[in-house]
Amino acid sequence: MRRADRLFQIVQLIRGRRLSTAAFLAERLEVSARTIYRDVADLQHQGVPIEGEAGVGYRLGAGFELPPLMLTQGEANALVAAARLAQAWLDAGLAREVEGALGKILSVLPPAARAAAEAQALYAPSVGLDARAQATLQTLREAVHTRHVVHIDYADVHGRPTVRRLRPLGCFYWGKVWTLSAWCELRGDFRGFRIDRIVSVAVLDERFQHEEGKTLADLLRKVEAEMAECELVPDAGVKAPMAAL
């Protein structure tokens, strides 16, 4: 890759993330971290408002814009493939947004490139979530975003009913099923719930604030620590908080 192209790609990668470390940029561009440090410094000297420093991470300052990019044929193909796969397993609201966004992207392609992307023989038949699970996923996804407490009626793997009051933290896709990871007020701990086993969900008016020890970041750190412990003790089993009940 020419250096000019690499500098352009660095800006593109940084602008697309809240914080980009030199290690992340180096891995994506297949260069050393030292090269990234030097390139970022050169971009800063040229007036590109990259904030941050080596060892911490970089982000792009406000007010800096680049002209829209023309997608390569491979990038267009990848977007069409990803959209088709995603739509089969997203809720109806997000699926519509994906379709709209994809249409806007494809509209800027030359006719031949658009035709080639749309003609890919890669499809995702509609055998994913049923309508009820899709509606539940959308409700929970929106509750995660707005930080609303939810009340669910749930059936575990044995069909036993339970009622929970939850702080929804994130929805996770596992290849065949979606799960909700949440702070369970009944158990006073993180718990995971399969979306397709949620019988009903009600979004309460009450909103929750992030509290230390009860956030998604805390959950992910807990899972990471348990996985590391499992690696140290090969026979130890890990009960990941994100695993569905």
Side-chain angles (χ1 to χ4, degrees), residues 80-90 120-129 134 173:
V80 171
R84 289 176 179 174
L85 292 172
Q87 284 179 307
W89 286 96
L90 292 173
Q120 291 183 96
L122 191 155
Y123 303 94
S126 299
V127 294
L129 299 177
Q134 283 185 333
Y173 178 59

Side-chain angles (χ1 to χ4, degrees), residues 9-177:
Q9 288 299 321
I10 288 174
V11 175
Q12 289 299 319
L13 289 168
I14 292 176
R15 76 188 296 208
R17 295 164 56 88
R18 290 183 180 179
L19 195 67
S20 298
T21 64
F24 166 79
L25 297 170
E27 181 180 357
R28 289 293 301 271
L29 298 175
E30 299 181 347
V31 296
S32 68
R34 184 185 298 273
T35 297
I36 295 297
Y37 297 147
R38 184 173 60 249
D39 287 348
V40 168
D42 288 345
L43 287 167
Q44 291 171 327
H45 291 154
Q46 293 171 25
V48 179
I50 296 177
E51 302 171 350
E53 59 187 57
V56 177
Y58 302 104
R59 65 181 179 183
L60 201 60
F64 183 79
E65 294 293 339
L66 287 174
L69 295 178
M70 179 59 68
L71 299 176
T72 66
Q73 186 65 63
E75 291 169 339
N77 292 349
L79 284 172
V80 171
R84 289 176 179 174
L85 292 172
Q87 284 179 307
W89 286 96
L90 292 173
D91 60 69
L94 270 184
R96 286 192 299 269
E97 297 296 339
V98 169
E99 184 175 2
L102 183 61
K104 291 178 181 178
I105 292 171
L106 292 178
S107 69
V108 303
L109 293 176
R114 175 172 182 167
E118 293 180 324
Q120 291 183 96
L122 191 155
Y123 303 94
S126 299
V127 294
L129 299 177
D130 59 30
R132 183 177 64 83
Q134 283 185 333
T136 300
L137 174 61
Q138 181 168 347
T139 298
L140 293 172
R141 175 176 58 80
E142 293 170 352
V144 170
H145 179 69
T146 59
R147 297 185 197 169
H148 275 90
V149 176
V150 299
H151 176 284
I152 67 168
D153 292 300
Y154 188 75
D156 67 15
V157 66
H158 302 295
R160 295 173 299 203
T162 182
V163 176
R164 301 293 179 95
R165 176 184 159 96
L166 309 171
R167 298 183 180 191
L169 301 176
C171 297
F172 292 81
Y173 178 59
W174 300 92
K176 291 184 178 180
V177 298

Side-chain angles (χ1 to χ4, degrees), residues 220-233:
L220 297 178
R221 282 193 291 268
K222 182 177 182 180
V223 173
E224 184 177 352
E226 290 180 346
M227 292 179 66
E229 182 179 350
C230 184
E231 291 177 358
L232 293 175
V233 184

